Amino acid sequence: MIKIQNIYHMLAYAFQVLTKDKYAKLATEEFEHVSDLLAEILAKGIGDQIKRGLGRDYVEQTESLSSPIGKMNLAHSVKQQSLRKKQLVCTFDEYTENSYMNRILKTTALLLIKTPEVSIQRKKALKRVLLYFTQVDEMDYRTIEWSGIKYHRNNATYKMLVNICYLVIKGLLQTEEKGSHQLATFLDDQLMHRLYEKFVLEYYRKHFPQLHASPSHIDWNVDDGLIDFLPMMKSDITLYYGEKIIIIDTKYYGRTMQTNRYYNSKTIHSGNLYQIFTYVKNKDLSNSGNVSGILLYAKTDEDVVPDSEFLMRGNRIAVKTLDLNRDFSNIAKQLDDLVERYVFTESILP
């Protein structure tokens, strides 16, 4: 289990806007359900957007008009008998608040308002901001084309808000019965993995800028150079310190260890270990031993969790666990200790 306050901290690193003063109290406030936390963030964020002004966009409209504008459609005018009323069916672009992003915000806020897990206080806050959405239509959340949403300078302030909507709809929404929506207690593992990865990356970017933390592509170190059919290798996080390179691969599973059915024993996921070893050996082109790898699991409720270090053909490979159910100060210390041990320490293993 993860403390809900820690989900806020993870979101705050993923979306820097959540570090502003108006969100600061969320770090200490008690939330029984993650949906309640997301409702609070959304209400505050939409309120902030209202002060800036709701974004507008050109939306295609088709109407019968007495004073034609845009593109006239004679076939539809005849079919709808608009000509009898001295009107023409016209298609035109209207600059309106009924934009795609505003419709997503309204739809998500209404879902949260209908959800039993969201407190009365947050429902009231969402209802207040929705008073400004009278010209905005609700939409079917199942038809939202998330991959088609593009951000630019004029709508950049919507990025965090739309991502919160995505977490609610994709990460929490489970069932719909007679207009009542059931939200999960926690985000699903797939979305938590993405948030966990983003959180660790942004943590190191903020607190250790000298390490130039970033995802990185790793080229295959093959003799003949024929790599067309080899899969792409991309690390979650790579840290650089002088000649040292540390590759971190984050993992978020319901179970961090696999069970050997023949010996009834717990072992590290073999696929994960092969993956980090492959990254490290292909990154270390000169076989210098200066490239190390860390598999960083999020801790589960299991009694046995990974905590190992190996020297594999000259390179250090570590398998570690980050406990996300501790106070956030302890989580930060765990991440700091990793850097101290594997970046700033000269040698660990013989």
Side-chain angles (χ1 to χ4, degrees), residues 62-252:
T62 300
E63 295 181 18
S64 294
L65 300 173
S66 300
S67 301
I69 58 174
K71 182 180 180 181
M72 292 171 283
N73 192 319
L74 291 176
H76 278 79
S77 298
V78 172
K79 185 177 181 180
Q80 297 180 17
Q81 300 182 351
S82 300
L83 296 175
R84 290 185 177 184
K85 304 175 185 177
K86 296 182 179 181
Q87 294 180 334
L88 283 172
V89 175
C90 301
T91 299
F92 56 94
D93 288 335
E94 182 181 10
Y95 195 55
T96 174
E97 291 179 350
N98 193 27
S99 66
Y100 202 69
M101 290 187 184
N102 284 337
R103 292 170 67 196
I104 291 174
L105 297 188
K106 182 172 185 176
T107 299
T108 307
L110 289 172
L111 284 172
L112 289 167
I113 288 170
K114 297 173 186 176
T115 300
E117 291 83 3
V118 175
S119 68
I120 297 297
Q121 175 188 349
R122 272 97 199 187
K123 289 181 179 181
K124 288 181 177 178
L126 288 170
K127 288 177 181 179
R128 283 196 296 270
V129 295
L130 286 185
L131 293 174
Y132 295 85
F133 283 70
T134 55
Q135 303 302 312
V136 178
D137 296 331
E138 188 178 0
M139 65 192 303
D140 185 345
Y141 63 84
R142 291 162 293 199
T143 66
I144 297 174
E145 297 179 1
W146 301 99
S147 61
I149 298 172
K150 306 298 181 186
Y151 299 100
H152 47 74
R153 184 176 62 182
N154 293 334
N155 66 11
T157 55
Y158 274 80
K159 187 172 184 179
M160 181 273 290
L161 296 173
V162 172
N163 274 277
I164 294 298
C165 294
Y166 183 86
L167 290 177
V168 172
I169 292 172
K170 289 291 189 180
L172 289 176
L173 195 60
Q174 301 236 305
T175 61
E176 179 181 2
E177 296 179 0
K178 298 180 181 180
S180 176
H181 298 83
Q182 181 70 37
L183 297 193
T185 304
F186 285 95
L187 297 169
D188 69 20
D189 284 355
Q190 183 178 1
L191 282 178
M192 278 305 302
H193 182 198
R194 291 168 62 183
L195 178 58
Y196 177 52
E197 174 188 334
K198 180 70 171 173
F199 156 61
V200 176
L201 172 63
E202 296 300 332
Y203 181 90
Y204 285 133
R205 278 178 170 170
K206 180 175 182 179
H207 298 290
F208 297 91
Q210 72 273 32
L211 301 181
H212 309 289
S214 66
S216 67
H217 288 282
I218 301 169
D219 295 326
W220 287 93
N221 181 18
V222 295
D223 294 336
D224 55 14
L226 298 176
I227 62 172
D228 291 349
F229 299 107
L230 292 177
M232 180 182 294
M233 291 189 291
K234 184 179 180 182
S235 70
D236 293 341
I237 303 154
T238 302
L239 308 178
Y240 302 88
Y241 184 67
E243 295 182 351
K244 281 187 178 182
I245 298 175
I246 312 295
I247 297 173
I248 301 175
D249 211 45
T250 55
K251 301 295 181 184
Y252 189 99

Side-chain angles (χ1 to χ4, degrees), residues 220 233 249 251 258 268-282 295 297 312 317 319:
W220 287 93
M233 291 189 291
D249 211 45
K251 301 295 181 184
Q258 65 184 10
I268 300 165
H269 281 279
S270 55
N272 296 340
L273 200 56
Y274 299 154
Q275 180 185 32
I276 193 68
F277 179 75
T278 302
Y279 285 1
V280 168
K281 296 309 293 185
N282 281 276
L295 280 175
Y297 288 91
M312 296 185 177
I317 304 291
V319 185

